[in-house]
């Protein structure tokens, strides 16, 4: 198991724990530190904490921020890796980004908002959903294979076929500016489709070409469309969006803070208008929603799939954000039976609610003619014969039985006769193959059970996407984990943290400096203020009945000195806006250092 897979295994059990309850259990300083880091970096990697003046503006000293950061690492809200050259980088794991988007995004930072007026026009309509396109592509690979040239690239003729068999086009994704090898050979929409298949573990790339992972494929086609969309959407969010933190915030806000299905939302922030539009157009290409334009030229978007289901929001997360809950309190809806319509001209009309398993079988019996809300397939003799011949002796429905089961109404007589005729020879040959294989299998039954019995648990192993998986392009998230095991090693949490300087050197100063409120000579008061700056701790001063908590920044002068500091009138849970002030030692009666004994 690679380092990356190990880290994912470690994070998987904790995803449920790091919901809203876990956020509420954090200390005040921990929430402030985590909120600022989330706003600054989103899920991207960073190598150092923010400057002390940034923490001061939210009422924290540098020492408090560092201690809170250490606690967040210990509680797995922040993870880290060591680069090969020794540098340690940090990141907020993706499993936490949903809840942080819900609790750390205030109204001032919203990039999406409900529209009170209708859109002026739809500039990009949604295409049919991409899950069916993936099935169509896998069927082609299974039927015709997808070999590689001696240079390790797909044959040009195969690339052309891949490019035209899908409803997607380069226009859907060209503005995403995705970098990948052989850009002169592969259109971007072909790369994205193949990359999805690799990331979902439906196919694997070998030296000879792309090969289907049959076990994973069978698991995949047994899912509902909505579950497929959820897996695909995770890949899209992680790999194809712009890597800048602001764009990552935008993607998560669009999915979490614009939850209304079929309702239009205005997109704010003109500064990143082009990048935001490129993401919205890509979503429309995948079939997730539509892009519109308001009367004043602003972008708008509406979801055609439930974004809460796409993000797989936990029930605990939904309980905090009332805006999300109201629209998404229902559970997973089981798909009901939906059949196809077999026409006398051998065309098969397929409504959008037909299950993936049915569509997968149709891919083997038919040629796809058109795909829209109502897709049209055409029964093909060559396809039917090949599908029956490759059954390999397995007992399964014939084409006639399949269509009788899943079609509305009775099959036209001449269609049934043609299908029966097409499959007759194949059935005879299959029976002979079955008899031969049965004899061979009986001889090896005992040894086969011994070999596979201990590995039976692996049959249910997930095809689920891992954020660092190798596809045809590098992931766009660029967290420290995406560097891979060759350039970075995981730093496991729970290790002993480095002691802060104020804790190590606390015995070097008189205890009265930090345990008692006392009046000091001007020179001693100056020394205490300098000590607070060196240790990056708070300084408390009292004048009469008024107490001020300061975060000192500068001491100017010697005999007649002044102190520049952020002044906190309330350092508790409800913080006021810190004020930048200049103090003189004559401005207070007593003082003491305030050490962060706890966070």
């Amino acid at each position: 198991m690679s380092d990356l897979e190990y880290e994912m295994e470690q994070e998987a059990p904790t995803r449920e724990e790091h919901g809203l309850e876990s956020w509420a259990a954090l200390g005040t300083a921990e929430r402030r530190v985590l909120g600022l880091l989330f706003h600054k970096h989103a899920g991207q990697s960073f190598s150092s904490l923010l400057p002390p003046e940034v923490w001061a503006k939210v009422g924290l000293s540098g020492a408090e921020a560092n201690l809170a950061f250490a606690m967040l690492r210990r509680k797995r809200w922040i993870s880290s890796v060591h680069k090969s050259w020794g540098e340690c980088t940090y990141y907020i794991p993706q499993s936490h980004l949903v809840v942080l988007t819900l609790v750390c995004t205030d109204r001032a930072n919203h990039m999406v908002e409900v529209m009170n007026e209708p859109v002026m026009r739809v500039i990009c309509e949604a295409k049919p959903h991409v899950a069916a396109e993936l099935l169509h592509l896998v069927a082609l690979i299974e039927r015709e294979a997808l070999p590689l040239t001696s240079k390790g690239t797909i044959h040009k003729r195969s690339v052309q076929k891949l490019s035209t068999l899908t409803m997607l086009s380069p226009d859907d994704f060209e503005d995403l500016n995705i970098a990948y090898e052989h850009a002169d050979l592969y259109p971007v929409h072909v790369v994205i489709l193949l990359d999805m298949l690799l990331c979902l573990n439906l196919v694997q790339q070998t030296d000879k070409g792309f090969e289907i992972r049959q076990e994973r494929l069978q698991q995949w086609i047994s899912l509902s469309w909505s579950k497929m969309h959820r897996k695909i959407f995770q890949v899209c969010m992680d790999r194809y969006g712009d890597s800048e933190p602001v764009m990552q915030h935008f993607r998560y806000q669009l999915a979490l803070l614009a939850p209304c299905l079929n309702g239009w939302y205005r997109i704010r922030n003109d500064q990143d208008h082009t990048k935001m539009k490129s993401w919205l157009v890509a979503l429309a290409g995948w079939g997730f929603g539509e892009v519109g334009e308001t009367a004043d030229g602003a972008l708008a978007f509406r979801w055609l799939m439930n974004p809460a289901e796409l993000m797989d929001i936990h029930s605990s997360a939904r309980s905090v954000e009332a805006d999300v809950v109201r629209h998404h309190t229902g559970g997973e809806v089981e798909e009901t039976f939906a059949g196809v319509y077999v026409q006398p001209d051998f065309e098969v009309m397929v409504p959008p609610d037909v299950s993936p398993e049915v569509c997968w079988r149709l891919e083997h019996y038919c040629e796809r003619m058109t795909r829209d809300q109502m897709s049209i397939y055409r029964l093909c003799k060559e396809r039917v014969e090949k599908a029956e011949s490759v059954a390999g002796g397995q007992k399964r429905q014939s084409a006639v039985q399949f269509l009788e089961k899943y079609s509305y109404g009775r099959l036209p007589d001449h269609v049934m006769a043609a299908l029966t005729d097409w499959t007759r020879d194949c059935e005879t040959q299959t029976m002979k193959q079955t008899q031969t294989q049965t004899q061979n299998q009986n001889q090896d039954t005992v040894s086969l059970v011994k070999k596979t019995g201990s590995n039976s648990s692996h049959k249910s192993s997930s095809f689920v996407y891992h954020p660092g998986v190798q596809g045809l392009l590098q992931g766009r998230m660029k967290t420290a984990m995406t560097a891979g095991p060759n350039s970075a090693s995981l730093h496991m949490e729970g290790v002993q943290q480095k002691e802060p300087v104020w804790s190590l050197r606390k015995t070097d100063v008189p205890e009265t400096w930090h345990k008692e409120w006392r009046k000091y000579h001007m020179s001693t008061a100056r020394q205490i203020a300098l000590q607070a700056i060196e240790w990056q701790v708070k300084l408390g001063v009292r004048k009469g009945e008024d107490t001020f908590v300061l975060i000192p920044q500068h001491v100017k002068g010697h005999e007649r000195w002044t102190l520049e500091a952020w002044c906190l009138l309330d350092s508790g849970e409800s913080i006021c806006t810190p004020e930048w002030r200049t103090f003189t030692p004559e401005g207070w009666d007593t003082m003491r250092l305030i050490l962060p004994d706890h966070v």
Side-chain angles (χ1 to χ4, degrees), residues 531-544:
Q531 194 68 71
I533 295 173
E534 179 185 346
W535 286 354
Q536 296 186 33
V537 298
K538 290 177 179 177
L539 180 68
V541 297
R542 284 179 175 174
K543 181 69 173 179

Side-chain angles (χ1 to χ4, degrees), residues 103-402:
V103 299
C104 294
T105 305
D106 56 36
R107 296 298 171 182
N109 294 321
H110 273 199
M111 301 183 200
V112 295
E113 61 184 8
V114 178
M115 288 182 56
N116 297 321
E117 73 279 7
V119 295
M120 178 63 68
R121 64 189 181 99
V122 175
I123 61 176
C124 191
E125 295 183 354
K127 291 187 175 181
H129 63 80
V130 70
E133 294 297 288
L134 293 182
L135 285 185
H136 190 50
L137 177 56
V138 172
L140 173 71
I141 297 175
E142 183 181 62
R143 188 168 55 248
E144 302 181 15
L146 195 60
L148 299 178
T149 66
S150 58
K151 297 181 179 179
T153 61
I154 304 173
H155 291 271
K156 186 175 182 180
R157 183 170 50 189
S158 298
V159 173
Q160 292 174 343
K161 178 175 286 190
L162 293 174
S163 181
T164 56
L165 68 82
T166 175
M167 298 290 294
L168 301 177
S169 71
D171 294 339
D172 297 323
F173 313 110
E174 61 183 2
D175 291 334
L176 290 178
N177 296 320
I178 295 177
Y180 55 92
E181 293 184 355
H182 310 296
D184 57 333
L185 177 62
Y186 301 153
V188 63
H189 67 299
V190 171
V191 168
I192 286 178
L193 285 174
L194 291 175
D195 188 72
M196 282 184 178
L197 294 180
L198 290 168
C199 291
L200 294 168
N201 286 321
L202 298 178
V203 301
Q204 59 185 351
Q205 185 176 355
T206 66
D207 294 338
K208 296 181 179 180
F210 288 81
E211 298 178 355
I212 294 176
R213 307 184 69 171
Q214 289 292 342
E215 183 179 316
R216 303 295 197 270
L217 176 60
Q218 295 308 312
Q219 294 176 4
W220 179 254
I221 62 178
S222 67
L223 298 179
S224 63
W225 289 120
S226 61
K227 289 181 179 179
M228 286 184 177
H229 297 151
R230 184 181 305 161
K231 303 296 184 183
I232 294 170
F233 188 72
Q234 184 183 359
V235 178
C236 295
M237 286 280 285
D238 294 349
R239 295 183 69 83
Y240 312 129
D242 192 278
S243 61
E244 295 179 9
V246 64
M247 288 304 299
Q248 189 177 354
H249 283 308
F250 170 64
R251 293 195 294 275
Y252 273 82
Q253 286 189 27
L254 184 67
L256 297 170
L257 305 182
C260 182
L261 197 64
N262 294 313
W264 285 101
Y265 288 85
R266 172 188 288 267
I267 308 302
R268 296 169 55 184
N269 192 341
D270 294 334
Q271 182 179 356
D272 298 292
H273 181 277
T274 302
K275 292 181 178 179
M276 290 180 175
K277 183 178 180 180
S278 68
W279 176 247
L280 299 179
V281 171
L283 289 177
W286 291 313
F288 294 122
E290 293 185 325
V291 188
E293 190 176 68
T294 65
D296 57 358
L299 289 172
F301 185 79
R302 67 172 173 180
W303 290 101
L304 300 183
M305 296 185 192
N306 190 329
E309 290 185 1
L310 294 176
M311 293 297 292
D312 194 17
I313 300 177
H314 307 298
S315 58
S316 59
R318 287 199 291 266
S319 66
V320 149
E321 187 67 34
D323 295 340
V324 177
V325 192
R326 196 169 293 111
H327 301 285
H328 310 296
T329 54
E332 184 76 27
V333 179
E334 294 292 332
E335 294 194 18
T336 58
F337 171 80
V340 300
Y341 300 88
V342 181
Q343 305 298 303
D345 59 357
F346 290 84
E347 287 189 348
V348 181
M349 302 180 66
V350 184
D353 52 351
V354 171
S355 72
E357 289 182 295
V358 174
C359 290
W360 176 247
R361 291 291 296 275
L362 287 174
E363 289 283 353
H364 290 77
Y365 296 138
C366 310
E367 292 180 348
R368 193 176 78 177
M369 309 301 293
T370 61
R371 179 156 183 258
D372 207 327
Q373 290 300 314
M374 181 72 76
S375 299
I376 299 177
Y377 289 76
R378 183 176 179 83
L379 288 165
C380 174
K381 180 180 179 180
E382 293 181 0
R383 296 277 179 92
V384 172
E385 289 179 343
K386 186 172 184 180
E388 297 297 332
S389 65
V390 300
Q394 297 177 10
K395 183 179 180 181
R396 70 175 191 182
Q397 293 175 322
S398 66
V400 174
Q401 293 171 325
F402 166 72

